[in-house]
Amino acid sequence: MLTEVPQAISEAIKIAPVDPQYYGPDDDRVTRFVDQTIDTWSNAEPELAGGLNQLKDLLTPLEQEALTFYLASTAFAIADAAPPLEKPQQEIKERATGVTLFKNLTSGEIESERDAFRTTWQTVYPENLSFAATATFTRETVLSQPEIPDLDAKLAQLKADFAAEMQTWKDAGKTPEMRDMLSMKLKLESKYPNLKDYMFDLTIGDVDLVSNPVEPEYSDVPERMGFTGEKLWRIDQRAKEYQRLLRRAGVNITGYQPIPLGWNALITRGLDYLGHYGMNGYQNEGCFMDYGGSYAMDRAFLLAKRTLSEEGVTSPTALFPTPGFMMMKDVAENTGLKTMELVTKPEDHFLPTPDKLKEILLAHPEIKILVLTPINNPGSHVAEAERIKQILDMLEGEQQFKDIIVINDLAYLGTGDKDQNTQLGKTLNQRRRRIDVLAWTKLLGRPGLRCATAGTPDPEIAKWVKPVARNVTLAISYPMQAETLAVLDFVKLEDMERLYQLYRHRQEKMIETLKLRPDLFDIYHALVTTWDAALYAFVPLANGVDPLDIMPQTGLFGTSARAFYASVFPDIPNYIRFALGKQPITEQTIDRMRKMMS
Ligand SMILES: Cc1ncc(COP(=O)(O)O)c(C=O)c1O
């Protein structure tokens, strides 16, 4: 007799799959299929029925549903790990697996979901298909590098070549952007393969937790984030489980979708995350998913444009504070929007001041969209809630600014201090006429996964979400959504926060290391620069230092501040941005950086 919820059951509930595309009674095929499966199993197996019944009194309806999903989905996954039997035998095998799993979860002797899962696996496949050991999945540590003879001379040669490459760009009057720098790095790497470790990949805002071992103090992060070990294996299985559940519930998972907004369950995860940082009130019909922050921003621009056009504004302009991630300006222009740049200052932490913003909005009444990137890129800073409040209060205070749609690019929400993020989120929440775009790319450390969630709390914008969706796409990829949902089943907020700590750690180490060259980096004298949002370090350069000289002198591949402005003007602040998602900054890396810098 169960008098309390066994630990293994609680854990199973925490990582249980959900109905991916539950749209209420309109589409609850997966839920119905799962319920029917468990009913069928219970009818045939009184012990399972009895156990589930006992748990009913101990679990909330939502927890009961989660357990049902967990049981059916996990039993299918285990049973399906071997080639399928004839249908009746396969069904018997699935049911027997479900019953064994339930027994193991509730036995009292097995204390964790993980062990219940493993024991079940071993019962089903005692000999010929054993559950693979975790060790198989753990990443190898790097072997220590052999000594490089004549290292100093070789590094000097590398620096000279590097400088010559930079000179070509200087002569052409070109500011290399991130991908130019990446191509240059690959070129130099193929010329000097042994010196690879002396060229530091700090250019593009990518994240890579697998190619190189991360810092020893953060060695738990790749596994926590599901890149190695058993979690990786479970995530892979779960992604397949989602596709299996949908298929078996009769959903055509290779087909078009009548409402290409993305899975409801993923939207819910996005809203939960936003809610965690104080953002809420989204309209039910006002949310959608898309391929990463960039496509979600693209759709947000189309949505804003459509809303404004229905209100009679035919040629709106979108305003972009700079320095900023300039690709978004191109994205906006590609939707047919006009754009303008609002240049911010270092002493304002690269945020618009309410006065300057008001002045530009009054002078240009055609500005109807304001894009805010309140965290990180390139500024490495979480915008002060107070500053954002002043801006939003100013917008609320003027009748002619009431219809301005604020688009918040929240690609970095959560990175940096938690309370600062929450204060910021709560403040951004005060404007209803807005669209929030939350990209999962950096937050899950998977830029290539291409997943983002967006939403608006404004019913006047929300009503155009479906019509716009129908104009832009016929379907959102099922495998991408299955993978993202699987990741989010196993990678929890506390894991993501640990990743953000790793970003922050790198930022601190980086800034510390740059102090070695005060002739290049103005770290000590920077009056106003704060680095608190992690993933990047936007660093002021000493007077007269050309950002293109930094790379050959230090081996640090960064991005010149100029790449973050739309227009070229003489007093662009002399900064360089280092992106910290790829290059682990271990003691060994720091030693090499020091060597390159000396
Ligand atoms: C401010 C900002 N928004 C959005 C993105 C793009 O994210 P995604 O890879 O999700 O398209 C980036 C990428 O660096 C970014 O810096």
Side-chain angles (χ1 to χ4, degrees), residues 506-519:
R506 287 187 182 168
Q507 193 183 48
E508 277 166 11
K509 289 275 173 197
M510 191 69 206
I511 297 292
E512 209 40 51
T513 309
L514 299 180
K515 288 182 180 165
L516 196 69
R517 290 292 300 267
D519 58 319

Side-chain angles (χ1 to χ4, degrees), residues 292-294 325 328 373 377 409 411-412 439 441-442 450 536:
S294 21
F325 177 50
M328 293 308 182
T373 308
N377 197 1
D409 180 351
Y412 303 94
T441 41
K442 324 278 183 184
R450 310 310 300 142
Y536 300 104

Side-chain angles (χ1 to χ4, degrees), residues 22 54 86 117 124 193 220 233 266 296 355 372 389 433 546:
Y22 183 81
Q54 286 171 29
E86 292 301 317
F117 177 86
V124 181
D220 58 320
W233 191 87
L266 267 176
D355 291 347
L372 292 179
K389 185 167 173 6
R433 198 163 160 92
D546 185 328

Side-chain angles (χ1 to χ4, degrees), residues 23 63 73 91 149 164 220 223 314 352 379 418 451 502 509 565:
Y23 295 111
E63 289 169 337
S73 179
E91 282 176 1
D220 58 320
E223 163 114 43
T314 49
K418 197 166 163 180
C451 185
L502 168 62
K509 289 275 173 197
Y565 291 86

Side-chain angles (χ1 to χ4, degrees), residues 12 15-17 66-74 101 105 113 234 238:
I15 54 159
L67 179 59
T68 310
F69 264 85
Y70 171 87
L71 267 185
S73 179
T74 312
L101 179 62
L105 287 165
E113 181 277 337
R234 297 289 300 264
R238 180 60 61 80

